[in-house]
Amino acid sequence: MVNATALITGASSGFGEALARRFANEGWRLVLVARRFGRLQRLQEELGGPAKVHIIELDVRDRAAVVAKLGERPAPFLDVSLLVNNAGLALGLEPAWQADPDDWDTMVDTNIKGLLYVTRAILPGMVKRNRGHVVNLGSIAGSWPHPGAHVYGASKAFVQQFSRNLRADLIGTRIRVTNIEPGLCETEFSFVHFKGDRAKAEELYRGNDPLVPEDIAEIINWVVKMPSQVNINSIEVMPITQTWGALPVKPVRAPSGGKP
């Protein structure tokens, strides 16, 4: 059984919730971070109570709150050996010229800036102890573009490159960095992506045998359990029903007012 502390953002549902259960079964102490405090309270009660699970209501977009609340962890939860930057989202399906800039701000503030704020808050302790592992949740959208994923995909490309550069910064330490890049996975992600259109979200998964959060939790558990000299840089994972698309070819309409 593990005698160490893991901090998981976005822990109230999806990957984060599955990770909390998986790591609790392995004996980890947990710091669970999310905006939906009621869900965190239920997880805390289920997974061993305050002695095993410390919960923090937090919006990772708020830098001052990240610094303050993560700095107030009780003593048993101070030495974080594993940070899982899981909080993130996609909003909207429109092409870039029709997208809502407020959605862009939310994705950038959560997927990029929130990840940075939490990492900056936790990493100094890891460096001081010369021990730790940062696992970032990226996406296949960070490598493979598709219509409507303009800012979301760009934000996950940032996570991919930040993870690589973080590894470069940490050379000479015993701290590991891994970027996990899932494909189609059945979580609340699509419900949020489609802005509450449950029928559209369910249609995406129907008959497609998607990944489930427990798959990702199992992969991350394997990554973390590798011998300490092994760093898994990245893992891209899709369901068997998903693959890369052919390069699209489509006739171009003439501009308004005549031929180009």
Side-chain angles (χ1 to χ4, degrees), residues 17-223:
E17 182 180 357
L19 284 164
R21 291 199 171 93
R22 188 69 178 87
F23 287 141
N25 288 339
E26 295 289 326
W28 289 79
R29 288 184 299 274
L30 300 175
V31 179
L32 303 183
V33 175
R35 292 177 298 167
R36 292 178 288 189
F37 195 63
R39 290 193 177 192
L40 291 181
Q41 288 176 312
R42 290 192 289 274
L43 264 179
Q44 182 186 54
E45 182 178 353
E46 175 189 341
L47 300 179
K52 290 289 187 180
V53 181
H54 180 63
I55 56 176
I56 301 175
E57 181 180 12
L58 178 63
D59 186 335
V60 298
R61 297 175 296 176
D62 186 336
R63 182 170 66 176
V66 168
V67 172
K69 291 192 175 185
L70 293 188
E72 295 170 353
R73 303 188 311 278
F77 299 93
L78 282 176
D79 292 347
V80 172
S81 297
L82 171 64
L83 168 62
V84 182
N85 281 311
N86 169 64
L89 77 169
L91 289 171
L93 298 166
E94 303 82 5
W97 65 91
Q98 295 176 347
D100 184 344
D102 287 341
D103 289 346
W104 287 359
D105 285 344
T106 299
M107 287 185 280
V108 169
D109 289 346
T110 306
N111 300 354
I112 296 178
K113 293 164 72 175
L115 181 147
L116 293 179
Y117 299 157
V118 174
T119 302
R120 181 61 179 83
I122 298 302
L123 197 57
M126 290 185 177
V127 172
K128 183 178 180 180
R129 294 185 299 275
N130 196 27
R131 184 179 72 254
H133 197 155
V134 178
V135 175
N136 294 325
L137 263 295
S139 168
I140 62 168
S143 299
W144 311 108
H146 61 272
H150 31 79
V151 169
Y152 175 71
S155 75
K156 292 304 183 177
F158 175 92
V159 173
Q160 180 186 87
Q161 193 62 22
F162 177 71
S163 300
R164 292 169 175 167
N165 282 282
L166 192 57
R167 275 278 292 134
D169 281 352
L170 291 166
I171 190 71
T173 74
R174 303 294 294 181
I175 301 168
R176 303 186 291 181
V177 182
T178 302
N179 187 36
I180 305 293
E181 303 174 350
L184 183 67
C185 186
E186 187 168 5
T187 67
E188 291 182 2
F189 175 88
S190 289
F191 181 69
V192 174
H193 192 186
F194 298 147
K195 297 190 173 181
D197 190 333
R198 189 169 297 280
K200 188 176 289 188
E202 291 174 351
E203 180 62 28
L204 176 65
Y205 301 124
R206 188 173 295 117
N208 286 329
D209 198 16
L211 303 172
V212 295
E214 289 75 17
D215 297 329
I216 304 304
E218 187 63 31
I219 289 168
I220 293 175
N221 184 56
W222 173 79
V223 165

